[in-house]
Amino acid sequence: EAQVTQNPRYLITVTGKKLTVTCSQNMNHEYMSWYRQDPGLGLRQIYYSMNVEVTDKGDVPEGYKVSRKEKRNFPLILESPSPNQTSLYFCASSPDLGRLAGLQETQYFGPGTRLLVL
Amino acid sequence: DAKTTQPPSMDCAEGRAANLPCNHSTISGNEYVYWYRQIHSQGPQYIIHGLKNNETNEMASLIITEDRKSSTLILPHATLRDTAVYYCIVRVLTSGGYQKVTFGTGTKLQVIP
């Protein structure tokens, strides 16, 4: 089954304790992205990756890191989490969200990771 | 960057058509309009997209005005399972040639029995 998976689905941690949220897709998609969702603010893009080893900042990248060492995985790293990073996080992938040829591609979203930083 | 404006909430009676509007007055010629929906706190789900012609699929219809400054998503026979937040999105090409996707706050559609 074609899907985007995220782990963990729920996480409670404390301020300053490094954590990684994994994201994996089995559709051989080039484009992957991370979003956070907060009440009243909708979905905001954190980072995105056009392909392996190519990443760029989204609208709210502060406090986050990403890596794209292989096509299927796009982990989100919080080096020193803070309470304002408490949020619902979504990973998404798309066949090609890059050049003009990819203008019609849709994104497939993972189930979400709910993070609480105390 | 093209931005979208949607009403924060709408109600619709079950079985009736739900018409969700979206303004995107700064849209440029090669930008598609996309609609997604999010049920509870699940991952957003793609519904439909279009450039300038009206589109229809098994889930919905998309009507885009001739000047492309606004569009309407139509759910022809709304059911309780259509209760969700609906996002209208315009994909924007960055200066580097890649696409940027910006979700707004969407319209919360409540389907009433």
Side-chain angles (χ1 to χ4, degrees):
Chain A
E1 180 189 353
Q3 59 183 352
V4 178
T5 57
Q6 297 179 225
N7 282 293
R9 295 289 312 280
Y10 304 91
L11 179 61
I12 301 174
T13 189
V14 295
T15 299
K17 186 177 181 181
K18 180 179 178 179
L19 68 91
T20 299
V21 183
T22 64
C23 173
S24 182
Q25 49 92 7
N26 62 1
M27 296 169 279
N28 201 37
H29 286 170
E30 290 81 17
Y31 181 95
M32 297 185 75
S33 179
W34 276 103
Y35 296 86
R36 63 177 288 174
Q37 187 171 34
D38 304 290
L41 296 177
L43 279 156
R44 294 180 292 167
Q45 192 177 48
I46 303 171
Y47 269 94
Y48 61 98
S49 170
M50 290 72 76
N51 213 325
V52 175
E53 303 292 359
V54 183
T55 63
D56 204 354
K57 297 177 180 178
D59 295 317
V60 287
E62 295 77 21
Y64 304 94
K65 287 175 60 177
V66 293
S67 70
R68 188 88 182 275
K69 292 183 169 51
E70 50 190 341
K71 186 180 275 192
R72 65 181 292 127
N73 296 324
F74 189 45
L76 179 69
I77 304 157
L78 285 72
E79 294 272 4
S80 183
S82 62
N84 64 13
Q85 292 179 298
T86 292
S87 188
L88 177 59
Y89 291 87
F90 289 103
C91 180
S93 74
S94 174
D96 184 276
L97 205 59
R99 303 297 178 181
L100 199 63
L103 261 176
Q104 296 193 54
E105 300 296 353
T106 62
Q107 290 193 81
Y108 298 82
F109 283 82
T113 295
R114 195 172 288 278
L115 172 65
L116 172 61
V117 183
L118 301 173
Chain B
D1 289 359
K3 297 274 191 277
T4 62
T5 305
Q6 299 176 254
S9 64
M10 292 181 63
D11 291 339
C12 178
E14 188 178 17
R16 298 283 196 172
N19 296 280
L20 292 95
C22 178
N23 288 323
H24 30 79
S25 58
T26 59
I27 195 170
S28 61
N30 64 346
E31 291 170 357
Y32 281 75
V33 179
Y34 275 72
W35 284 82
Y36 286 78
R37 75 179 181 183
Q38 186 178 25
I39 297 173
H40 297 298
S41 295
Q42 298 175 21
Q45 173 192 23
Y46 164 79
I47 301 173
I48 198 168
H49 72 278
L51 183 63
K52 54 183 177 181
N53 297 320
N54 298 339
E55 303 287 345
T56 296
N57 63 20
E58 65 278 4
M59 290 181 68
S61 295
L62 176 61
I63 309 298
I64 302 174
T65 58
E66 192 169 341
D67 63 6
R68 303 213 322 120
K69 293 183 184 302
S70 65
S71 60
T72 301
L73 178 75
I74 301 172
L75 308 177
H77 306 286
T79 71
L80 298 178
R81 285 178 293 182
D82 292 322
T83 292
V85 177
Y86 288 78
Y87 295 96
C88 167
I89 298 151
V90 176
R91 305 252 283 266
V92 176
L93 272 177
T94 68
S95 58
Y98 289 101
Q99 293 189 48
K100 181 179 170 65
V101 178
T102 302
F103 284 74
T105 53
T107 296
K108 184 170 185 177
L109 175 69
Q110 181 72 48
V111 180
I112 302 168

